[in-house]
Amino acid sequence: MAAKTGAAALTRGVLFSMEASSPVTDLLYRTQRGDRDALEQLSTLVYQELRRIAARCMRSERPDHTLQPTALVNEAILRLVGADVPWQDRAHFYAVAARQMRNILVDHARSRGRGKRGGDAVRVPLEDAGELAAPLDRDLVALDDALKDLAKFDQRKHDMVELHYFGGLSMEETAQAMEVSPKTVQRELRLAESWLHRAMSEAAS
Amino acid sequence: MSPEHWQRVEALFHRAVDLSAAAQKACLDKECSGDDALRREVEALLRSERSASGRIRNAVEEEAVRLLQDGDASGERLGPWRLLRLLQHGGMGAVYLAERADDAYRKKVAIKVLRSTLATGLERERFRTERQLLANLEHACIARLIDGGTRADGSPYLVMEYVEGEPIDRYCTEHRLSLEERLGLFRQVCLAVAHAHRQHVVHRDLKPANILVGKDGVPKLLDFGIAKLLDPAADPHVGPPTRAEDRRLTPEYASPEQLSGAAIGYASDIYALGVVLYELLAGCLPYQLTGLSLDEMLQAVRQTDPLLPSVALVRREPDDGGMAPRLRGALDNIVMSALQREPHARYANADGLAADIARYLAGEPVSARSAAPVVRLIRFARSHRMWTIAALALLAGSVPAALYLKEVHDGEQRIKALIAAHTSARAIEHLPAVAILRFTSNESGSLLGAGMSRLLLNALSPLTRLRVTAYNSVRHSPDAAPDIDAVARQLGVRYVVSGKAEVNGGRLRIEAALTDAAAGHRMWSVDYDRTPEDIFAIRAELAEKIASALSIELTADESRQLAKAPTRSVEAYEAMLQGMSHYGRRPRRATEEARRHFERAIALDPGFAHAHGMLAMTYNREFINNWGDNPAESLARAEQLAKRALALDDSRAFSHLAMGMVRREQRRHSEALAAAARAVVLDPNYGNAIVLMASILCYAGKTDNTLELIQKAAGLNPRNPINYQLQMGRCYFAMGRYGEAIAAFEQALDKNALGHRGHLLLAASYAQAGRLDDARWTVSEIQAGGRQLSLRRIEPTIPFTRSEDRARLIEGLRRAGVPD
């Protein structure tokens, strides 16, 4: 399950490819000790690395169109898997990477919507009617907003959702990362998902 | 959401989620007793549970897919630049935040990667030239274009200064700027736009999102000229850009000409500035276009007027803190001046707009005035009968009961409206004014040179949405290039058409240019290398180009007329031109010479309506001046020829003018007025037709407004101002203002333009004013020319219809010594 989502696979790929370099691990340790500056730098590095992989995946697309982009991503990631690393270090890394993956996707989703009276004129040309966003197109933005709201009163559920959906960690891995039991993760995720679903629907109406 | 509440929700959710439907209901009944809100909340969550995880997964997956499909280039290197993150993603391409990979340039930049690809060398070249133009734009309030290039796949990219700030409308609201502060900010924007215009760059997409105000309160304009860069197909030498390309725009800020796909110029930017100012003052847009189709948008913008900013503000916020009264008057006028539908009615340049804002802030009067309602020259039905009856009604001063018909009433109203339109100074002020200079030429081409400007004048003059003036200066030598600015100022026009027509070795070469004197630049220039036979086709093309460049929309009829050549034969046309140059000199011999040329033109092309009309005029003149032995015959000939001209082509004003003149001499004034009115309607710029109307009214004794009519006509046709002195004199005589009549006639006399009739009127004026010596002297002058004067002979030729006017003339002449 872990490698199934494209986003998750990207994150894993990044983490594995980055772990070898010491400046990154250094940043990581500093982040763990609460260094905000280091957190920012690390976030930027992860962000850039994710993008690089995404671009590389795009260019390595084969003419065989039956392959899904996510499958392409998985394939690319598999090639990048590196050596084993202690779990405790990886857990924190995942959190940062998951957050950055979320940022990348949300940035992209929000930037697409900026056609309204704001940035590039997307409204007209009328020939490109496809540019006009259908409600589902805006779901990720709604998800991001809902997650932010959720964090206001239940940080733990928020973190679980982020790790699981954006970081691509399985239930067990998520549990380990957050130092709770898998059953707790299962329970809490269930409610969190329902709550988010409802919040997203309310935003769309 | 309080922690306690959430805990209850959570507990309840888990208790109920795996129960059967019935058990769920029971559970909720028990636990939620009384708390409906809690129940609803938990029920909603339970409903969502099943599809929740799938939905979230989809949202994430789909965005990842889109991301990959869009080929987000973040992280990439682009030449010396490294793309950091995606800022914006839209129809044109993507914008990334970027920095130099080698730290050579510390500041962050915005890189716009454009979707289009430049396939051909020519396209790349144009992109490079345009880019250079934009890179030269250096202004504190314009985001600089730093660099640019093309990627390996041919897609171009631009490196621009990264500007952080808020869109100007949000900035004003968030920081609660006062009216003065908003105006000050806006004025800076105008000055920036003016700067760019001077560098020949049009923005084309001005809107608050492209005007960011930073923390320091300085506005910066983004994306100047980017729209044009993406349209490399626009070739400056061919004139206005092709229509289909320029559809990428933001409708709320697009000018009517942009929406309809017509030529875009500096005026379009002015319009956008107007919309922005409207927003900053009224807090809303002038037109609400959300959800409308392009056609509906066009209709809204063209046919409805927006509320004045002061009115719109009050409607939105009845309690606006006193801003609305301050908008009324000067500021309303400034905004609406920028928002005029006709590009020429707007401020000529952004400096003008900035200057008016400065004046307002300084408490000085502004140049913008409230827009006069447009008086449209109404197109009449083609019924001849209706015209005549209407003219009769107007001349009679009332509608005879027996004749009362709706069409008569309408017709009368329309003629009155026509006269009002032409005497009202404001009516045509908003129309673009263009002067056609005489085309210079070489020896062999000199006739066609003059002909070219006349052809253009005749082609453009009928257009109601244009004010056309002809300028024919005999002083201006054929070789010297005309001083466009001086001409424009002298004639009070904004646009000038100038050119050259030369014939060399059987080839006709024509160069023409259209200059915007107010904005100070040439709009386009063209040249043709054809044969003389093509002159009519060239005329049609040039006329269309001019109309298009001035954003004049032609009706189907107007287009057809434009394409119609006056004659099929160039030789016939040349003969007519020669005839006209002789006719322009007034003496008898010259007129007879002219007559020969006109007859030749008709011989070469029997269908040449204009030549028939001109020939009719020679006979008319013969009658007026009493040259022939048989005046009645002269007039009959004239009538016959005028009828023929009308039969050949009644869609041109001139044919009606010729007929009008004949009828006037026949004293069939209602028909004469009908013909003259028809000529004016067909050709609103035709000074001579207006003068004819004035003269008929004068002779009919209806002298209200005739003076203004004549002045208006003189303004339209400065080429022949001497003619108007005569008209004015006649008018004053009819009004009994002898002193002024004398002054006018004397001026005409000085220029040797006082004909036989004019002399008679002068003599009578002197007599009526008590200057008997002058009166007698004038009579003797007339007689010295070999005429035998007698009141008996003169009496039938007097054109006045009112008996008191006739009496005054006769009396005056008698006192001047004319025998019975």
Side-chain angles (χ1 to χ4, degrees), chain B residues 741-769:
Chain B
I742 290 167
F745 287 134
E746 282 177 348
Q747 279 183 325
L749 185 60
D750 283 341
K751 294 176 187 152
N752 211 8
L754 200 61
H756 175 68
R757 195 173 272 166
H759 274 94
L760 290 176
L761 283 167
L762 178 56
S765 302
Y766 278 133
Q768 292 289 6

Short mmCIF file of all heavy atoms in Angstrom, two decimals, chain B residues 741-769:
data_model
loop_
_atom_site.label_atom_id
_atom_site.label_comp_id
_atom_site.label_asym_id
_atom_site.label_seq_id
_atom_site.Cartn_x
_atom_site.Cartn_y
_atom_site.Cartn_z
N ALA B 741 -23.94 91.98 -43.33
CA ALA B 741 -24.00 91.48 -44.69
C ALA B 741 -22.94 92.16 -45.54
O ALA B 741 -22.21 91.51 -46.29
CB ALA B 741 -25.39 91.72 -45.28
N ILE B 742 -22.86 93.45 -45.35
CA ILE B 742 -21.87 94.20 -46.14
C ILE B 742 -20.46 93.71 -45.85
O ILE B 742 -19.67 93.48 -46.76
CB ILE B 742 -21.99 95.72 -45.83
CG1 ILE B 742 -23.32 96.25 -46.42
CG2 ILE B 742 -20.81 96.49 -46.40
CD1 ILE B 742 -23.69 97.63 -45.92
N ALA B 743 -20.17 93.55 -44.58
CA ALA B 743 -18.81 93.10 -44.20
C ALA B 743 -18.49 91.77 -44.87
O ALA B 743 -17.41 91.58 -45.42
CB ALA B 743 -18.73 92.96 -42.68
N ALA B 744 -19.43 90.86 -44.84
CA ALA B 744 -19.21 89.54 -45.43
C ALA B 744 -19.02 89.64 -46.93
O ALA B 744 -18.07 89.07 -47.49
CB ALA B 744 -20.38 88.62 -45.10
N PHE B 745 -19.90 90.39 -47.58
CA PHE B 745 -19.77 90.51 -49.03
C PHE B 745 -18.46 91.15 -49.42
O PHE B 745 -17.83 90.78 -50.42
CB PHE B 745 -20.95 91.33 -49.60
CG PHE B 745 -22.25 90.58 -49.59
CD1 PHE B 745 -23.42 91.19 -49.12
CD2 PHE B 745 -22.33 89.28 -50.06
CE1 PHE B 745 -24.63 90.50 -49.12
CE2 PHE B 745 -23.53 88.58 -50.06
CZ PHE B 745 -24.68 89.20 -49.59
N GLU B 746 -18.07 92.15 -48.64
CA GLU B 746 -16.79 92.82 -48.97
C GLU B 746 -15.63 91.84 -48.87
O GLU B 746 -14.71 91.89 -49.69
CB GLU B 746 -16.59 94.03 -48.04
CG GLU B 746 -17.42 95.23 -48.46
CD GLU B 746 -17.28 96.41 -47.52
OE1 GLU B 746 -16.72 96.22 -46.40
OE2 GLU B 746 -17.71 97.52 -47.87
N GLN B 747 -15.67 90.99 -47.88
CA GLN B 747 -14.60 90.01 -47.76
C GLN B 747 -14.57 89.10 -48.98
O GLN B 747 -13.51 88.77 -49.52
CB GLN B 747 -14.79 89.16 -46.49
CG GLN B 747 -14.28 89.85 -45.26
CD GLN B 747 -14.42 88.98 -44.04
OE1 GLN B 747 -15.36 88.21 -43.90
NE2 GLN B 747 -13.44 89.07 -43.16
N ALA B 748 -15.75 88.69 -49.39
CA ALA B 748 -15.81 87.83 -50.57
C ALA B 748 -15.30 88.59 -51.79
O ALA B 748 -14.60 88.05 -52.64
CB ALA B 748 -17.24 87.36 -50.79
N LEU B 749 -15.67 89.85 -51.83
CA LEU B 749 -15.25 90.68 -52.96
C LEU B 749 -13.73 90.77 -53.02
O LEU B 749 -13.14 90.67 -54.09
CB LEU B 749 -15.87 92.08 -52.81
CG LEU B 749 -15.64 93.05 -53.95
CD1 LEU B 749 -16.22 92.48 -55.24
CD2 LEU B 749 -16.31 94.39 -53.64
N ASP B 750 -13.11 90.95 -51.87
CA ASP B 750 -11.65 91.05 -51.82
C ASP B 750 -11.00 89.80 -52.41
O ASP B 750 -9.94 89.87 -53.01
CB ASP B 750 -11.17 91.19 -50.36
CG ASP B 750 -11.40 92.61 -49.85
OD1 ASP B 750 -11.56 93.51 -50.68
OD2 ASP B 750 -11.43 92.79 -48.62
N LYS B 751 -11.63 88.70 -52.20
CA LYS B 751 -11.05 87.45 -52.72
C LYS B 751 -11.59 87.14 -54.10
O LYS B 751 -11.45 86.02 -54.59
CB LYS B 751 -11.39 86.30 -51.77
CG LYS B 751 -10.72 86.47 -50.43
CD LYS B 751 -11.14 85.39 -49.44
CE LYS B 751 -10.59 85.71 -48.07
NZ LYS B 751 -11.41 85.16 -47.00
N ASN B 752 -12.26 88.11 -54.64
CA ASN B 752 -12.75 87.95 -56.01
C ASN B 752 -13.76 86.81 -56.12
O ASN B 752 -13.81 86.11 -57.14
CB ASN B 752 -11.56 87.68 -56.94
CG ASN B 752 -11.84 88.23 -58.31
OD1 ASN B 752 -12.83 88.93 -58.51
ND2 ASN B 752 -10.98 87.91 -59.25
N ALA B 753 -14.51 86.64 -55.07
CA ALA B 753 -15.43 85.52 -55.06
C ALA B 753 -16.88 85.97 -55.01
O ALA B 753 -17.76 85.20 -54.67
CB ALA B 753 -15.13 84.62 -53.87
N LEU B 754 -17.10 87.21 -55.33
CA LEU B 754 -18.48 87.69 -55.29
C LEU B 754 -19.05 87.62 -56.71
O LEU B 754 -18.61 88.32 -57.60
CB LEU B 754 -18.50 89.14 -54.78
CG LEU B 754 -19.83 89.63 -54.24
CD1 LEU B 754 -20.27 88.79 -53.05
CD2 LEU B 754 -19.68 91.08 -53.82
N GLY B 755 -19.97 86.73 -56.91
CA GLY B 755 -20.53 86.58 -58.25
C GLY B 755 -21.57 87.65 -58.54
O GLY B 755 -21.72 88.63 -57.81
N HIS B 756 -22.29 87.43 -59.58
CA HIS B 756 -23.28 88.39 -60.04
C HIS B 756 -24.33 88.63 -58.96
O HIS B 756 -24.62 89.77 -58.58
CB HIS B 756 -23.92 87.87 -61.32
CG HIS B 756 -25.04 88.72 -61.83
ND1 HIS B 756 -24.82 89.97 -62.33
CD2 HIS B 756 -26.37 88.49 -61.92
CE1 HIS B 756 -25.98 90.50 -62.72
NE2 HIS B 756 -26.93 89.63 -62.47
N ARG B 757 -24.87 87.57 -58.49
CA ARG B 757 -25.92 87.69 -57.49
C ARG B 757 -25.40 88.36 -56.23
O ARG B 757 -26.08 89.14 -55.59
CB ARG B 757 -26.46 86.31 -57.17
CG ARG B 757 -27.79 86.33 -56.43
CD ARG B 757 -28.35 84.95 -56.29
NE ARG B 757 -29.18 84.58 -57.42
CZ ARG B 757 -29.56 83.33 -57.65
NH1 ARG B 757 -29.13 82.35 -56.86
NH2 ARG B 757 -30.34 83.04 -58.67
N GLY B 758 -24.16 87.99 -55.89
CA GLY B 758 -23.56 88.58 -54.70
C GLY B 758 -23.44 90.09 -54.84
O GLY B 758 -23.71 90.83 -53.90
N HIS B 759 -23.06 90.52 -56.03
CA HIS B 759 -22.96 91.97 -56.26
C HIS B 759 -24.31 92.64 -56.08
O HIS B 759 -24.41 93.73 -55.50
CB HIS B 759 -22.43 92.25 -57.68
CG HIS B 759 -20.93 92.25 -57.77
ND1 HIS B 759 -20.20 91.15 -58.12
CD2 HIS B 759 -20.05 93.25 -57.51
CE1 HIS B 759 -18.92 91.45 -58.10
NE2 HIS B 759 -18.78 92.72 -57.74
N LEU B 760 -25.34 91.99 -56.59
CA LEU B 760 -26.68 92.56 -56.46
C LEU B 760 -27.06 92.69 -54.98
O LEU B 760 -27.57 93.70 -54.52
CB LEU B 760 -27.71 91.69 -57.18
CG LEU B 760 -27.64 91.69 -58.72
CD1 LEU B 760 -28.66 90.72 -59.29
CD2 LEU B 760 -27.92 93.10 -59.26
N LEU B 761 -26.79 91.67 -54.25
CA LEU B 761 -27.13 91.69 -52.84
C LEU B 761 -26.32 92.74 -52.10
O LEU B 761 -26.82 93.43 -51.21
CB LEU B 761 -26.87 90.31 -52.21
CG LEU B 761 -27.91 89.23 -52.50
CD1 LEU B 761 -27.39 87.85 -52.11
CD2 LEU B 761 -29.21 89.52 -51.75
N LEU B 762 -25.06 92.88 -52.51
CA LEU B 762 -24.22 93.89 -51.87
C LEU B 762 -24.77 95.28 -52.12
O LEU B 762 -24.87 96.12 -51.21
CB LEU B 762 -22.78 93.77 -52.38
CG LEU B 762 -21.78 94.81 -51.84
CD1 LEU B 762 -21.75 94.78 -50.31
CD2 LEU B 762 -20.38 94.55 -52.39
N ALA B 763 -25.11 95.51 -53.37
CA ALA B 763 -25.66 96.82 -53.72
C ALA B 763 -26.92 97.10 -52.90
O ALA B 763 -27.07 98.20 -52.34
CB ALA B 763 -25.98 96.84 -55.22
N ALA B 764 -27.79 96.12 -52.83
CA ALA B 764 -29.03 96.32 -52.08
C ALA B 764 -28.73 96.54 -50.60
O ALA B 764 -29.37 97.33 -49.93
CB ALA B 764 -29.93 95.10 -52.25
N SER B 765 -27.70 95.82 -50.09
CA SER B 765 -27.35 95.97 -48.68
C SER B 765 -26.85 97.38 -48.40
O SER B 765 -27.24 98.02 -47.42
CB SER B 765 -26.27 94.97 -48.28
OG SER B 765 -26.69 93.66 -48.53
N TYR B 766 -25.98 97.87 -49.27
CA TYR B 766 -25.49 99.24 -49.10
C TYR B 766 -26.67 100.20 -49.05
O TYR B 766 -26.77 101.08 -48.20
CB TYR B 766 -24.58 99.65 -50.28
CG TYR B 766 -23.15 99.19 -50.19
CD1 TYR B 766 -22.52 98.59 -51.28
CD2 TYR B 766 -22.42 99.37 -49.02
CE1 TYR B 766 -21.19 98.18 -51.21
CE2 TYR B 766 -21.09 98.95 -48.94
CZ TYR B 766 -20.49 98.36 -50.05
OH TYR B 766 -19.18 97.98 -49.98
N ALA B 767 -27.56 100.01 -50.02
CA ALA B 767 -28.72 100.90 -50.12
C ALA B 767 -29.56 100.84 -48.86
O ALA B 767 -29.92 101.88 -48.30
CB ALA B 767 -29.55 100.53 -51.35
N GLN B 768 -29.86 99.68 -48.42
CA GLN B 768 -30.70 99.52 -47.22
C GLN B 768 -30.01 100.07 -45.99
O GLN B 768 -30.67 100.48 -45.03
CB GLN B 768 -31.05 98.05 -46.99
CG GLN B 768 -31.97 97.46 -48.04
CD GLN B 768 -33.39 98.00 -47.94
OE1 GLN B 768 -33.68 98.91 -47.15
NE2 GLN B 768 -34.28 97.46 -48.75
N ALA B 769 -28.66 100.06 -46.02
CA ALA B 769 -27.93 100.60 -44.87
C ALA B 769 -27.74 102.09 -44.98
O ALA B 769 -27.15 102.73 -44.13
CB ALA B 769 -26.57 99.91 -44.79
#
